[in-house]
Amino acid sequence: MATTNYDFDILYLGSGHGTFDGAPTLAKQGLKVGVIEAGLVGGTCPNYGCNAKITLDFPVHLQHQVHELNPVLRGALTLDWNANLRHKQKIIEPLPDMLTHRMTDSGMMLIKGFGHFVDAHTIAVNETQYTADKIVIATGLKPRPLTIPGNEWAMDSTAFMALDNLPANLVIIGGGYIAMEFATMAIAAGSQVTVILRGDHALRQFHQPLVNQLMLHLTDQGVTFLRQTTVQAIKKTATQRYEVLTEDDTLVTNGVLNATGREPNIDLLALDAIGLDSTANGILVNDHLRTNIPNIYAVGDVIDKPQPKLTPTATFEARYLAQLLGEHTTDPIDYPPIPTAVFSSPRLAQVGVSVTTAQAHPAEYRIVEQHLADNWYHQVSQSKIGTTILVFDQADRLVGATELSDRATASINTLLPAITLKLTAHEVNRIIPIFPTDESAAWKLLPHD
């Protein structure tokens, strides 16, 4: 496969999971592989997303669990946000160097700077041009700016996770993952939090009765939700505070977080110059992750796709693409069920066939709802919220699961093999989990022989 007409056999734009989880494999095969990165190596997830977020959230979630055990555990745990931030930095600061070494040790060449297309085989970085037989776009997503006066006064998720001290009063605009997760963090650290929703619903991808339970729980903790509210402008006052203007009110706050979503990071790549097809949701690819230009591929969150735009999805695609470009497969990509979670307290997680889909097709699916508070194991931790909804097909195989609980991510991970491998009741019965554990409690929900 290797060529002599280009500087590289394969050149990646971006260094996130879509790159470093697959490209080193190609370099170790003897292919000449390069990666162009303008920011921190590793992209969003290690530096500004998953790793940073879960490090900040860990004490928040622990604080919530301790609170649930009152009065068995007495006394209040105080969250020191600045100490939490320093802990986060200690965890994530080594990651770019580690990932750099992972790639360069495999034989890859790292090119620092911002790249854009000159033609289908050429990327310009600063004043230098690099050519490649094949190019992979892995530039991910970036925060979507507000289109209102005063947008510059709203911080994004990256800025929020770098705050030395949280504002005493925080307004969050949006109702997605970031809004709910950061509201959980901020209220736990002592901020007064108001979340502004443009419509009636938050977390639209999830089963709304469970979302409403989560919102009620956050409300009990002190979060204020404003529904059907449109932010018209943000103003900075002379006292270093901010005014968030809506159609009905003006909210005075110490900080504003824009959590309205993310958009494909493609606007500066000069895709139009080479005629590469894209939409507002990302780059269009076929079932081999190939764009309309045969030698250019895309991987990760930058793709316009129905699958969840998550780190594990990008990793799965990166490994597939390494197999494809390394000429170890010609098959199209075959996505397995992909779980997703909101890292709030409690957690909300799901995978497979949704409850909404199952309700719309009662002849195809059977729905079972379990209230976890009735389960003795969940009573051990005095968890006040816990609901699992399972979806079965007509062969009584598990095909979907949704859970709201402190242990939701563990439960969904436990149930995932049953869904992915389409286990029968007999096969489920052959698996004996450690007891008593979260995993055994989740596995017991399945039909057994």
Side-chain angles (χ1 to χ4, degrees):
M1 168 183 170
T3 62
T4 58
N5 298 327
Y6 301 102
D7 299 323
F8 296 96
D9 297 309
I10 305 166
L11 185 57
Y12 283 78
L13 266 171
S15 66
H17 279 274
T19 297
F20 69 74
D21 280 331
T25 301
L26 294 167
K28 289 176 181 177
Q29 293 176 211
L31 296 172
K32 192 170 184 181
V33 181
V35 56
I36 298 169
E37 176 58 63
L40 291 175
V41 171
T44 297
C45 185
N47 299 299
Y48 316 113
C50 321
N51 299 43
K53 175 186 72 178
I54 203 64
T55 305
L56 289 174
D57 171 76
F58 184 82
V60 173
H61 196 55
L62 179 61
Q63 182 190 51
H64 174 75
Q65 291 175 299
V66 170
H67 178 75
E68 294 284 270
L69 266 173
N70 182 62
V72 177
L73 291 175
R74 296 181 181 275
L77 290 179
T78 301
L79 177 61
D80 185 325
W81 179 263
N82 187 262
N84 197 20
L85 180 76
R86 294 196 305 272
H87 176 60
K88 182 262 292 185
Q89 288 303 112
K90 181 180 177 181
I91 296 297
I92 70 169
E93 280 180 354
L95 297 180
D97 283 345
M98 182 195 73
L99 295 172
T100 297
H101 288 304
R102 180 191 295 184
M103 291 189 284
T104 56
D105 289 352
S106 73
M108 295 173 60
M109 177 179 174
L110 177 61
I111 302 164
K112 292 296 291 182
F114 187 87
H116 67 271
F117 281 93
V118 175
D119 59 45
H121 289 277
T122 308
I123 301 290
V125 182
N126 300 322
E127 297 180 357
T128 304
Q129 294 188 356
Y130 300 90
T131 61
D133 180 26
K134 294 180 173 62
I135 296 174
V136 180
I137 302 172
T139 51
L141 300 172
K142 62 181 180 179
R144 181 187 299 116
L146 297 168
T147 55
I148 58 172
N151 166 65
E152 67 272 19
W153 302 122
M155 69 183 115
D156 60 22
S157 57
T158 299
F160 176 89
M161 289 191 290
L163 289 172
D164 288 329
N165 297 287
L166 282 185
N169 184 295
L170 177 68
V171 170
I172 300 175
I173 305 172
Y177 290 76
I178 291 174
M180 304 300 277
E181 291 171 348
F182 288 12
T184 300
M185 291 183 197
I187 201 73
S191 290
Q192 294 180 344
V193 181
T194 300
V195 178
I196 298 178
L197 306 175
R198 185 174 58 183
D200 278 325
H201 304 293
L203 299 170
R204 295 175 181 274
Q205 308 96 318
F206 290 85
H207 187 49
Q208 285 302 299
L210 296 189
V211 173
N212 289 335
Q213 286 187 45
L214 173 59
M215 293 175 69
L216 284 172
H217 190 69
L218 289 175
T219 299
D220 289 342
Q221 294 177 43
V223 177
T224 298
F225 290 95
L226 302 180
R227 301 174 188 259
Q228 291 188 328
T229 301
T230 301
V231 177
Q232 298 177 330
I234 303 170
K235 294 181 179 180
K236 189 172 184 180
T237 71
T239 56
Q240 301 301 305
R241 303 189 79 187
Y242 303 91
E243 294 180 346
V244 180
L245 281 65
T246 72
E247 65 270 38
D248 298 319
D249 200 2
T250 297
L251 306 176
V252 179
T253 182
N254 303 105
V256 183
L257 171 63
N258 172 17
T260 56
R262 299 172 68 81
E263 62 185 12
N265 189 19
I266 58 177
D267 51 316
L268 299 178
L269 298 182
L271 300 183
D272 291 344
I274 60 171
L276 191 144
D277 291 342
S278 65
T279 71
N281 296 318
I283 292 173
L284 296 172
V285 296
N286 64 10
D287 57 5
H288 286 73
L289 302 185
R290 183 183 289 118
T291 70
N292 63 302
I293 299 177
N295 71 296
I296 300 179
Y297 298 77
V299 63
D301 291 354
V302 76
I303 299 175
D304 182 347
K305 59 189 174 186
Q307 289 78 21
K309 294 190 176 187
L310 303 169
T311 292
T313 315
T315 296
F316 183 82
E317 292 166 349
R319 292 171 178 166
Y320 163 78
L321 199 57
Q323 291 292 306
L324 182 71
L325 298 183
E327 298 182 349
H328 297 294
T329 186
T330 58
D331 293 337
I333 190 168
D334 181 17
Y335 289 98
I338 301 170
T340 183
V342 182
F343 287 89
S344 52
S345 294
R347 311 296 204 206
L348 179 59
Q350 67 181 16
V351 66
V353 176
S354 69
V355 179
T356 301
T357 298
Q359 290 173 335
H361 300 87
E364 299 178 38
Y365 301 110
R366 178 173 66 91
I367 299 172
V368 176
E369 184 168 334
Q370 305 273 351
H371 296 285
L372 298 179
D374 299 333
N375 181 288
W376 77 269
Y377 190 76
H378 287 264
Q379 292 171 4
V380 169
S381 61
Q382 296 188 162
S383 299
K384 297 178 178 61
I385 292 182
T387 301
T388 301
I389 305 176
L390 304 180
V391 178
F392 297 91
D393 64 12
Q394 292 305 301
D396 220 23
R397 293 173 301 195
L398 184 69
V399 293
T402 298
E403 181 167 312
L404 175 68
S405 78
D406 285 332
R407 304 183 178 98
T409 51
S411 295
I412 296 300
N413 272 338
T414 299
L415 297 172
L416 187 58
I419 297 173
T420 302
L421 302 176
K422 301 179 180 178
L423 299 183
T424 65
H426 176 71
E427 291 165 330
V428 167
N429 206 47
R430 292 285 301 164
I431 297 173
I432 304 175
I434 295 172
F435 180 87
T437 60
D438 294 336
E439 291 74 17
S440 65
W443 201 251
K444 193 174 181 180
L445 297 174
L446 298 175
H448 293 67
D449 279 347

